[in-house]
Amino acid sequence: MAFYFRLCALVFAVLLSAASPLYLVQANACDFSLGNWVLDDSHYPLYDASRDCPFIGRGFNCLRNGRPDQDYLKYRWKPSGCDLPRFDGVNFLERYKGKKIMFVGDSISNNMWQSLTCLLHNAVPESSYALSTPTKYLSVFTIPEFDVSIIWLKNGFLVDVVHDKEKGRIVKLDSIKSGYMWKGDVLIFNTYHWWTHLNEVQFQVGNETIKNMDPMEAYKIGLTTWSKWIDANIDPSMTKVLFQGIAASHFEGEGCLKETEPEEGAQPPYPGVEIVKNVLSSMSYPVYLLDITFLTQLRIDGHPSIYTGKGTSYVDCSHWCLAGAPDAWNEILYAVLLGL
């Protein structure tokens, strides 16, 4: 009887995946996007950024920058319908021995990349590692013992950006020429943050240059261009593709200043989220959405705030302290990759 139910569940998942590729790996699994933050000082933080990860960027190491409270380090994400498996860095490295995992995106992507490199290094602290920056847009973290490379490629829009002497910066919404650089056994894409910071930017579709375009409309066109590129150029049998969902920022009112606890309860719809879900669900390539929006909406306490190392006049309510919320994103990534 148990076999019968497992067989029915498998058939149901296949039928769902045929209808919507987004659900290929989600149909018969826990929804990690809904839940609450639980204080767990017996297991968290997962590392000490200053002691365990000397390569962590200065702006993310909030303790080193003088943040006095420490509870923000100790929260665990608890999905409503299940428990996330504990992050096992050794298992991760063994599974991806000889592989390349590439993050492609903006500074929020960098936040997640730095978290993952720290988690992996902390799992095998006696193993040597190498961190290189072949170009100003490319950062490569390797652990030679496992021949694993964790890469971050800076690309805020995913679509092309050109600089015109007369018109300034132009985002070409229907063009991708940098895709040849997107190479890895696992690709984790992200774009959103820069679309909300569009001062004196023009958009171009075909030969038409557009001023004062609604940022979310531009985001939809650009993300659709990316989705079509993935469908046309990536082999699903060779490469796993994930999309790092939108991480919430907290600039309303007094922003994240002096916040020391997560929020609770329902949150309002966040701009851009439905665009992401609609674009991904229309793709023929099965892309997994790492849906981190709700869990980051709750973490108003997780930002660097004035503890970026740039002085108290600079308040950062977009990026995230490490250790902190991005570690949960990688715990979800680990759970997802276990099932792919």
Side-chain angles (χ1 to χ4, degrees), residues 39 48 67 131 136-137 187 192 196 199 206-207 212 221 227 259 262 273 314-315 319 322 333:
L39 193 64
D48 180 312
R67 181 165 178 171
L131 179 61
K136 65 179 181 179
Y137 300 108
L187 297 175
Y192 180 76
T196 62
N199 296 325
N207 294 320
N212 302 319
I221 297 172
S227 72
E259 295 288 349
V273 170
Y314 179 78
V315 182
H319 300 94
L322 295 177
L333 173 66

Side-chain angles (χ1 to χ4, degrees), residues 31-201:
D31 182 356
F32 299 125
S33 69
L34 298 177
N36 62 291
W37 291 96
V38 178
L39 193 64
D40 184 357
D41 56 8
S42 61
H43 297 102
Y44 291 78
L46 297 176
Y47 53 85
D48 180 312
S50 296
R51 183 192 65 212
D52 302 326
C53 306
F55 45 81
I56 287 290
R58 180 184 181 188
F60 299 152
N61 191 342
C62 301
L63 276 185
R64 186 176 64 185
N65 294 329
R67 181 165 178 171
D69 62 300
Q70 296 189 22
D71 278 355
Y72 74 93
L73 297 164
K74 304 171 185 177
Y75 284 96
R76 170 174 57 86
W77 179 244
K78 173 64 176 71
S80 298
C82 63
D83 284 311
L84 278 171
R86 287 188 59 80
F87 187 92
D88 185 336
V90 174
N91 183 42
F92 189 108
L93 290 166
E94 289 175 343
R95 280 173 171 265
Y96 285 91
K97 192 171 186 177
K99 305 292 186 181
K100 293 181 179 179
I101 298 174
M102 175 178 275
F103 290 83
V104 184
D106 55 30
S107 54
I108 309 300
S109 176
N110 176 254
N111 229 164
M112 185 173 178
W113 172 75
Q114 290 201 34
S115 164
L116 182 58
T117 59
C118 193
L119 287 165
L120 294 177
H121 172 59
N122 193 47
V124 287
E126 301 304 318
S127 297
S128 62
Y129 70 88
L131 179 61
S132 63
T133 52
T135 74
K136 65 179 181 179
Y137 300 108
L138 185 67
S139 300
V140 182
F141 179 89
T142 59
I143 299 181
E145 179 183 346
F146 295 89
D147 190 23
V148 171
S149 296
I150 313 296
I151 304 163
W152 175 55
L153 179 63
K154 183 179 180 179
N155 189 327
F157 291 103
L158 299 182
V159 294
D160 294 336
V161 179
V162 297
H163 296 270
D164 185 275
K165 290 183 179 179
E166 297 180 358
K167 298 180 180 179
R169 187 165 61 159
I170 300 175
V171 181
K172 304 181 74 172
L173 297 176
D174 59 350
S175 175
I176 293 178
K177 293 183 179 178
S178 61
Y180 70 92
M181 301 175 67
W182 303 346
K183 295 179 180 179
D185 300 281
V186 179
L187 297 175
I188 305 166
F189 292 93
N190 157 260
T191 183
Y192 180 76
H193 184 62
W194 286 13
W195 297 88
T196 62
H197 297 75
L198 295 172
N199 296 325
E200 299 181 0
V201 172

